[in-house]
Amino acid sequence: MRPSPLLAPLGMLTILALGLGLAVGRSELVLAAVPLVVALLSVRRLGAASDVEVTAVPSTTTLVEDDCVELHMTVASPATAAPSIEVFLSLPDSFVFVDGTRHLATSLNAGDTFERTLVIRSTARGRCVVGPFALRLTDHSGLYVDEALVASPVVIETYPRVPEIRHLPRPARTRSSFGNVVSARLGTGLEPGDIRAFVPGDRVRHINWPVSLRLGMLHVTQFHREQNADIVLLLDTLAETGAHPHSSVDACVRAVTALASGYLAQKDRVGLVEFGGYLRWLKPATGQRQLTRLLQAAVSADQVFTHAVRDLDYVPATALPRQALVIAISPVIDERFTKALLELAGRGYDVVLLAVSAVELTRRVLPDTPLHDVACTLWQLELGNRLQHLRQSGIAVAEWHPEEPLDVALASLSRRVPARRPAQR
């Protein structure tokens, strides 16, 4: 416990009123000092604020954007009474209180507990640590106060809302494992391929009867194998523009989560490489567990300023396989990322680029002035020239405006003819 800032002025005012009243013989001053004396005599030293137990139990620790979470708060009084307990919840602005406020106030007797359920909505992706909470304990007079940080932190992760997409870029190379991608090789599958003459050993159910009757001899239909592919999502976090939760990095993360969910649904192996201030990667894998890993990695993705020149040579071959389809998601602001794409394409990787248009995202945070309009127009022209250079280098490019559905931009990439470059060693 420590004296509040009010205690010293109140004590000085009491002494001054009593002394002046006795010196000049004015009873009014003495009577005016009586309530002040009573207030000073009512001061009681209480237990430490750290003795108050505060627990927060969320209904879930993983959310999707615009989902709500119930936070059950419990405040337990120490052995002595607590005339005034104030608890402040320090949460980011992306959390909106649907029911309740950031500030809780109550008074408890010795051994009592106070419970309150707060309903909070998360409006943006990110990882939030709920707790410790700032707690203030004061006595009846309010002249003694103690403050402490209490409660164990609870981590709540908010994942981007994944839009449903139907158009996914088709990989040029597949693996030997079963999947949904139609391979160029013939074998067991569902997609019809070539028709050839029947030879001993062919299955009867593969006989193409219309062709056999027309040609007068048995013919069978060959099918394309259905296999899975390796997909590597290359996320650009070298530069960022706009304001959270509508920044260029936020838009890129939404695209990453949508692509990862779409490819994993068709049994492909999906990996992630974050190309930014920190070079991080997840090796390609499949399944629900991999989707959880990708979502957790995407939630923590952020722009970190650095002058260092990043090099994808540090990424192991297991995280960036030669036969993988590399889908780069970038606002195409930093030239270092453009050089990395050209280097990958030169090595023989099948590379496509989803260019996130950051011009509109920047306009949202800039005042509407003629100068800013001219600057954004010039920026759009520069971006168009940079994307044209990438197209001329053999990289398929699709530009995505975040205010439009992602499927619209991916439609052009799904219709492309995959580049079949020989894999270099």
Side-chain angles (χ1 to χ4, degrees), residues 144-157:
Y144 263 88
V145 63
D146 193 23
E147 297 177 346
L149 295 176
V150 296
S152 301
V154 178
V155 179
I156 297 179
E157 294 182 332

Side-chain angles (χ1 to χ4, degrees), residues 304-372:
V304 178
F305 179 77
T306 177
H307 285 296
V309 178
R310 295 300 170 189
D311 195 340
L312 291 175
D313 289 337
Y314 292 101
V315 180
T318 54
L320 195 59
R322 289 289 187 181
Q323 74 275 11
L325 168 63
V326 180
I327 303 179
I329 302 97
S330 167
V332 199
I333 298 176
D334 199 306
E335 292 186 358
R336 291 174 291 180
F337 190 81
T338 305
K339 293 178 180 179
L341 289 186
L342 295 174
E343 183 180 355
L344 282 178
R347 293 180 186 178
Y349 283 92
D350 187 15
V351 182
V352 299
L353 171 63
L354 179 63
V356 179
S357 179
V359 178
E360 292 82 0
L361 301 176
T362 306
R363 283 181 179 272
R364 293 182 181 180
V365 298
L366 292 178
D368 190 9
T369 62
L371 179 61
H372 292 152

